[in-house]
């Protein structure tokens, strides 16, 4: 599966952005999807994950209550709605995927994901 992330940009603190990740190739609904981010000089970290059907999600504590992951399997797209953005949210955001036969599966483990998008830059100014 090929992944293409978009929607990043420059926003003031307190603002909102919605990231999208469009997939092409194999059956999108076979894949767990995740969002990760990497700030300058830091390691890539988990942000959010969603199960194949969208029924189960998990968000990092640092974004819980502000970010929401969702997916539209008909459009082969996963989203990350980001509200109340903070300067510390500044990073390159990556979408990622791995295939699983389990409909309720999700994962925060970066190493579990097999496919990665190219990343989209989010910059939050104070």
């Amino acid at each position: 599966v090929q992944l293409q992330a978009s929607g990043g940009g420059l926003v003031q603190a307190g603002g909102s952005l919605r990231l999208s990740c469009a997939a092409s190739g194999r059956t999108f609904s076979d894949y767990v999807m995740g969002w990760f981010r990497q700030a300058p000089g830091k390691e890539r970290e988990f942000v959010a994950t969603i199960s194949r059907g969208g029924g189960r999600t998990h968000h990092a504590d640092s974004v819980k209550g502000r970010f929401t992951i969702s997916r539209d399997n008909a459009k082969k797209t996963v989203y990350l709605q980001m509200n109340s953005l903070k300067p510390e949210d500044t990073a390159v955001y990556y979408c990622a995927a791995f295939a699983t036969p389990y409909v309720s599966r999700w994962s925060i483990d970066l190493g579990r994901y097999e496919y990665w998008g190219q990343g989209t830059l989010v910059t939050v100014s104070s």
Side-chain angles (χ1 to χ4, degrees):
V1 64
Q2 292 80 44
L3 304 174
Q4 180 74 37
S6 62
L10 174 63
V11 63
Q12 288 189 331
S16 297
L17 282 175
R18 188 176 80 156
L19 305 184
S20 298
C21 175
S24 60
R26 302 183 68 180
T27 307
F28 182 67
S29 59
D30 286 346
Y31 293 85
V32 171
M33 300 299 298
W35 285 99
F36 294 79
R37 67 186 181 186
Q38 188 166 18
K42 295 188 177 182
E43 294 186 349
R44 195 170 298 188
E45 64 176 7
F46 166 76
V47 175
T49 180
I50 188 165
S51 61
R52 286 172 44 186
R56 295 191 68 190
T57 63
H58 182 72
H59 298 78
D61 288 344
S62 59
V63 306
K64 202 166 290 183
R66 300 188 298 122
F67 292 10
T68 302
I69 189 172
S70 62
R71 67 190 294 163
D72 185 332
N73 284 347
K75 295 183 178 179
K76 296 186 177 182
T77 302
V78 63
Y79 305 98
L80 185 68
Q81 179 66 43
M82 305 187 296
N83 300 328
S84 302
L85 281 160
K86 304 175 181 180
E88 52 263 43
D89 294 319
T90 294
V92 177
Y93 283 72
Y94 299 90
C95 58
F98 69 91
T100 178
Y102 304 110
V103 296
S104 298
R105 179 81 184 272
W106 50 259
S107 178
I108 68 171
D109 181 3
L110 180 152
R112 186 63 183 88
Y113 288 79
E114 301 171 280
Y115 305 97
W116 291 83
Q118 86 290 359
T120 185
L121 177 63
V122 172
T123 303
V124 184
S125 63
S126 57

